[in-house]
Amino acid sequence: MKVTALLSTFNNEKYINQTIDSVLSQSYEDFEFIIVNDGSTDATKELIQQYKDDRIRLINLPDNVGIARALNMGIQYCQGKYVIKIDGDDIQHPDRFYHQIKFMEENPELSLSKCKFEYFPDNKEIENSLRFANLIRYNQFHKNFPSDSQEISKWIKLYCCIVHSAMIIKTDVLKRYMYRDFVVGEDYDLFLRLDQEGHLMGHLEECLLRVRVSDRSITANFSADFFNIIGYQIKQPALEKFKQNQNIYIWGTGNYGRELINLLESKDWKIDGFIDSFIKEDTKLNDKPIINPEMLRNQNQIKIIIASSTGFFEIIDFLENIGYVSGEDFTMIR
């Protein structure tokens, strides 16, 4: 049974050989490998062309069009039953294809599934950085956490709990939905649309992917405010519905919360206050009161937007324990 490995890449000469080698050395050999060279100006194209493996199909775009459009170009050529997403600087476990295909065949009700992954640093400086430590402590845990379709459906509405390059998806489903043209977040937008239309997404416990953390990672080059804007665009239908609530508070008074209120008020939201466990009484932010979370007990008149990148699991546990319902009483932008 043929499957498709799909990669779009741009100016990736430093890592592209390692990635391609990890694909071509898979124990499951019946696949096609579609590589979209998204207008690279370095030696990426020439390095790919050195491979003489018949499974590789290289599509060279004359200009850089971005991840979503490049992937959509490649999707048109996918002929396998499933598409396995590849990133240009990640490394695949030799049995990744075998295990993910087997999992999908054993669970035909699934449209998509993910495997576990682990981050690894590109160099010593990154290995010793706070950014890498936070990725391991928070992102790796949170994205590996949801372990069945029900949990994934719950959490995907709040944050992107699926690593794009850990994905295997039915080709006919991917061709039906394609990617919308976001600079970043095109994967999260796809997952949300699939969830909204009832597609089941599963989880494979094996760790089959190593995700490189480098200075050139796309997410390292944008501001938090930019991610708020993109997150709002992706979740806009649900957020516009949530906006109709009265008495909306932002949980978080750090940079995330401060930037978020500016975005929301620019879109005519009425924010009534903030929530923070560590603020003294009578403190205000943007002339709005800051309350302690304990004030939320025994009532759910206050609706909440969570603005915490690292503590949102604990916040959600607290809210659910006092009777708050995700989507109705609280939500997240990104």
Side-chain angles (χ1 to χ4, degrees), residues 284-296:
K284 291 188 175 183
L285 178 61
N286 284 34
D287 291 324
K288 301 180 187 301
I290 303 174
I291 66 172
N292 188 281
E294 292 300 319
M295 294 180 65
L296 300 173

Side-chain angles (χ1 to χ4, degrees), residues 294-301 322:
E294 292 300 319
M295 294 180 65
L296 300 173
R297 292 188 182 276
N298 303 318
Q299 60 90 26
N300 62 351
Q301 289 83 18
I322 63 173

Side-chain angles (χ1 to χ4, degrees), residues 255-322:
N255 289 337
Y256 187 171
R258 294 165 189 262
E259 291 172 344
L260 187 57
I261 191 172
N262 292 333
L263 171 65
L264 295 178
E265 290 187 336
S266 74
K267 297 182 179 298
D268 299 321
W269 284 61
K270 183 180 183 298
I271 303 299
D272 294 282
F274 292 86
I275 303 168
D276 198 305
S277 303
F278 306 103
I279 298 296
K280 296 179 181 179
E281 292 185 13
D282 301 324
T283 304
K284 291 188 175 183
L285 178 61
N286 284 34
D287 291 324
K288 301 180 187 301
I290 303 174
I291 66 172
N292 188 281
E294 292 300 319
M295 294 180 65
L296 300 173
R297 292 188 182 276
N298 303 318
Q299 60 90 26
N300 62 351
Q301 289 83 18
I302 291 178
K303 307 301 180 182
I304 297 164
I305 301 175
I306 299 172
S308 171
S309 299
T310 58
F312 68 87
F313 259 48
E314 291 80 3
I315 293 172
I316 291 168
D317 283 344
F318 175 86
L319 291 174
E320 290 183 334
N321 284 336
I322 63 173

Side-chain angles (χ1 to χ4, degrees), residues 2-3 30 32 35 60 64 87 113 134 169-170 175 181 214 254 272 281 306 317-318:
K2 187 181 287 293
V3 297
D30 188 16
E32 61 177 0
I35 304 175
N60 285 306
N64 179 253
D87 269 5
S113 66
N134 284 336
I169 185 171
K170 290 178 177 177
K175 286 187 173 182
D181 195 9
S214 69
D272 294 282
E281 292 185 13
I306 299 172
D317 283 344
F318 175 86

Side-chain angles (χ1 to χ4, degrees), residues 143-188:
K143 291 178 184 290
N144 280 331
F145 166 73
S147 58
D148 59 36
S149 296
Q150 185 175 358
E151 285 187 346
I152 291 172
S153 181
K154 171 187 174 180
W155 292 105
I156 201 71
K157 296 176 177 67
L158 293 171
Y159 76 101
C160 188
C161 60
I162 300 174
V163 170
H164 197 191
S165 58
M167 173 188 84
I168 180 171
I169 185 171
K170 290 178 177 177
T171 303
D172 62 336
V173 172
L174 186 57
K175 286 187 173 182
R176 194 183 323 151
Y177 285 86
M178 307 294 280
Y179 292 96
R180 294 202 296 172
D181 195 9
F182 290 99
V183 177
V184 293
E186 77 291 335
D187 52 345
Y188 189 26

